[in-house]
Amino acid sequence: MSLWVLLLAGCGPEPVSFSFDPATLEYGIVVFPPEMPDEGYARMTLSITNTGETDGNLTLPEPDLDIFCIAGFVKENYPADLGEVRPGSTYILDVGLCGYPPGMQDLLVETGFEVETDGDPAVLEVAATFIPNRDTD
């Protein structure tokens, strides 16, 4: 029976290791004029690097689309298979802001979105912070 448990334990997801650069998307004060650019406001580049020793497949579930605009993806694309990232390789996402939670104007918004892996951990958290400022001109 102990051999059976060892065999089952060996069938679990392999450990994967990814890092984000920047570690947190810190947008600072973001001005939201009435007309939003196609790529969203204050776009930043997020690098997701496989720092482990095994390949890892990444999937982007639907983020909060009232807050995040991720270049190249629309509502119909989610969940988006980002593909396999080999050790030492990097996947790049351009992440803009589409809006902010109601009542948060001029207040610090701490939010984020998830990236799923086929390994352990199964979910990676991308953190983001910003202070929305509504431009009424």
Side-chain angles (χ1 to χ4, degrees):
M1 174 137 165
S2 61
L3 178 59
W4 179 253
V5 172
L6 288 174
L7 288 174
L8 286 176
C11 295
E14 289 190 44
V16 294
S17 181
F18 287 92
S19 66
F20 298 124
D21 185 27
T24 299
L25 296 170
E26 296 178 357
Y27 291 95
I29 297 173
V30 178
V31 177
F32 288 83
E35 191 167 325
M36 182 176 73
D38 290 339
E39 68 275 0
Y41 305 100
R43 189 168 73 176
M44 291 184 72
T45 299
L46 175 68
S47 299
I48 306 171
T49 301
N50 183 338
T51 57
E53 297 179 7
T54 59
D55 295 350
N57 194 60
L58 297 177
T59 301
L60 182 63
E62 185 174 319
D64 184 341
L65 298 176
D66 290 333
I67 295 177
F68 295 105
C69 300
I70 300 179
F73 299 97
V74 293
K75 184 170 182 62
E76 294 77 26
N77 293 135
Y78 296 107
D81 180 8
L82 304 180
E84 184 177 85
V85 181
R86 296 180 182 266
S89 296
T90 300
Y91 190 91
I92 304 292
L93 287 175
D94 287 324
V95 183
L97 298 172
C98 297
Y100 55 91
M104 295 300 292
Q105 183 173 325
D106 297 321
L107 300 173
L108 178 64
V109 175
E110 296 177 297
T111 187
F113 59 92
E114 296 178 344
V115 176
E116 297 173 348
T117 75
D118 60 350
D120 182 24
V123 177
L124 305 170
E125 298 286 334
V126 178
T129 64
F130 63 99
I131 298 172
N133 181 286
R134 177 61 74 188
D135 181 2
T136 56
D137 293 333

